[in-house]
Amino acid sequence: MHPRVRGAILIAAAVVVPATALAQPAEGEPPPPEQPAPEPPKVPAPPPAPAESPAKVVEQKPETASRFTWEPYGYLRLQYIVVENDPNVEFVGRDDGFELQNARVGVRGTFDSRAAFVVSIDGAVDEREQINVPEGKLRVGLRDAFADVQVAGKVMARAGFFQSVFDPEALIGDTRREFVDKPIESRGMRATEGYQTQGLTPGRSLGGALRLDPDMGVGFELAVQNGADEFASNNDNDKPAVSGSLLARFMTDSWVEAGVRYNPRTVGDLPFRQDENDLQASLGAHVESGPIHLGVGAIAQQTKFPTTGGPDQNAYGAHAQLLFAIPAAVPLAVGYRFGILDPSSLIVTDRVMEHTAGAVLGVPRLRMRVQLQLTHVVEQAARTLSNSRAQLAAEVAL
């Protein structure tokens, strides 16, 4: 080998071998740590997307939540009644004991803030086969089944089975009534409490209405309903009953109502059916001022008999009541009510007056009320009865 080539090889070997030896760790020594890879150049992060405005979120949530809402409700009213026994009339005061006034259960709700509905039934409907009999039967009956749909602003259209505002007592719920019973012009006289007499107000019926019932201000109701019995499945002829009412609401749950109603009725069975036309007017008011609660109501009715051509029959009924709230640890109020009912001007001995003293005790913690009522009944002189009564009622709202 040429001396120059051999020298080059020796020089290369002297350089490569020591470098390789240095690259490998000695026996028993840990390997040197690896050098971290160089970091890539940092790229600026994109700016965060703008959050949804709180106003928009607040608007969306109620809209979604109020699309459809509903809630159950109900109440139970039980009374113990004692009626003075009349020595000359066998059916008056002969069934003292417990009576179920209401066993109401129902559901109410709204849809999209433009429609509302109420459906309820009651298991304490008193059914009697004929008048002036002491024994009745409890049955389940429909009490409300209607829907309200917004027409324009706060004006609503109502359709179904409902009670018109023509009766002032329709504005006072059973769980807010100050006395055990409704006024005599609305409820009439029940069997065993005296001579059974129907009240002058129409009760519930199938039909439709256009209505405005504001929280405060002036409202109205125009209703077209069947003029048949409250529990009739259809009308008694081909002519509906029409009514119109004005309502003014004020602060502290005070209001004034006035209404008129025309009902062309048909009574009796074929071939002895007869037409009777009722023209009615109503007036009512409820005023709350501090501890004083004042209520008045009146119904006047004229009935014509086109089939028989008989004389017109006039009827009227009214009441006035005053309650005083007593400052106490629990809600307590005492009051007095005077009521009068004259169901027919063609009968001169059928007028009835009632003097009622009452007290109501509230138990809000239990959603409960207890009521006591003492009523002295004054019949027209020609048909004097001993039929004063005492009633103790308890109510629980669900």
Side-chain angles (χ1 to χ4, degrees), residues 163-185:
Q163 186 175 19
S164 67
V165 182
F166 172 79
D167 182 4
E169 291 301 305
L171 299 171
I172 303 174
D174 290 333
T175 57
R176 299 183 61 191
R177 193 167 64 233
E178 291 93 347
F179 291 86
V180 176
D181 285 329
K182 290 183 177 181
I184 190 171
E185 74 270 16

Side-chain angles (χ1 to χ4, degrees), residues 157-364:
R158 173 171 293 184
F161 183 71
F162 62 94
Q163 186 175 19
S164 67
V165 182
F166 172 79
D167 182 4
E169 291 301 305
L171 299 171
I172 303 174
D174 290 333
T175 57
R176 299 183 61 191
R177 193 167 64 233
E178 291 93 347
F179 291 86
V180 176
D181 285 329
K182 290 183 177 181
I184 190 171
E185 74 270 16
S186 292
R187 66 177 177 85
M189 182 65 74
R190 294 179 62 253
T192 74
E193 295 178 7
Y195 291 106
Q196 187 171 350
T197 306
Q198 186 175 355
L200 300 180
T201 54
R204 289 167 169 81
S205 185
L206 289 164
L210 191 66
R211 58 199 317 271
L212 171 64
D213 189 359
D215 296 331
M216 187 176 301
V218 179
F220 69 91
E221 180 185 79
L222 299 174
V224 179
Q225 297 175 286
N226 290 342
D229 177 77
E230 185 173 13
F231 294 103
S233 60
N234 57 304
N235 204 2
D236 52 8
N237 56 28
D238 55 0
K239 300 176 182 178
V242 294
S243 64
S245 302
L246 289 176
L247 172 65
R249 290 190 181 274
F250 309 99
M251 297 179 61
T252 65
D253 197 24
S254 300
W255 49 263
V256 176
E257 178 274 342
V260 293
R261 184 174 185 267
Y262 177 68
N263 181 21
R265 296 181 294 110
T266 298
V267 298
D269 299 322
L270 291 173
F272 305 107
R273 299 187 71 184
Q274 299 179 7
D275 293 332
E276 299 180 3
N277 300 333
D278 293 336
L279 179 62
Q280 297 177 301
S282 68
L283 179 65
H286 181 81
V287 178
E288 293 188 10
S289 178
I292 303 298
H293 295 188
L294 173 66
V296 295
I299 306 287
Q301 174 179 289
Q302 182 182 71
T303 303
K304 295 182 178 294
F305 304 93
T307 302
T308 62
D312 295 348
Q313 173 182 277
N314 297 316
Y316 69 90
H319 81 280
Q321 65 185 44
L322 178 67
L323 269 82
F324 179 77
I326 299 176
V330 292
L332 175 64
V334 296
Y336 166 79
R337 180 173 70 190
F338 171 78
I340 184 171
L341 175 63
D342 190 341
S344 175
S345 60
L346 304 179
I347 302 174
V348 297
T349 60
D350 61 347
R351 187 176 66 242
V352 182
M353 293 185 296
E354 292 185 341
H355 301 273
T356 302
V360 54
L361 174 67
V363 189

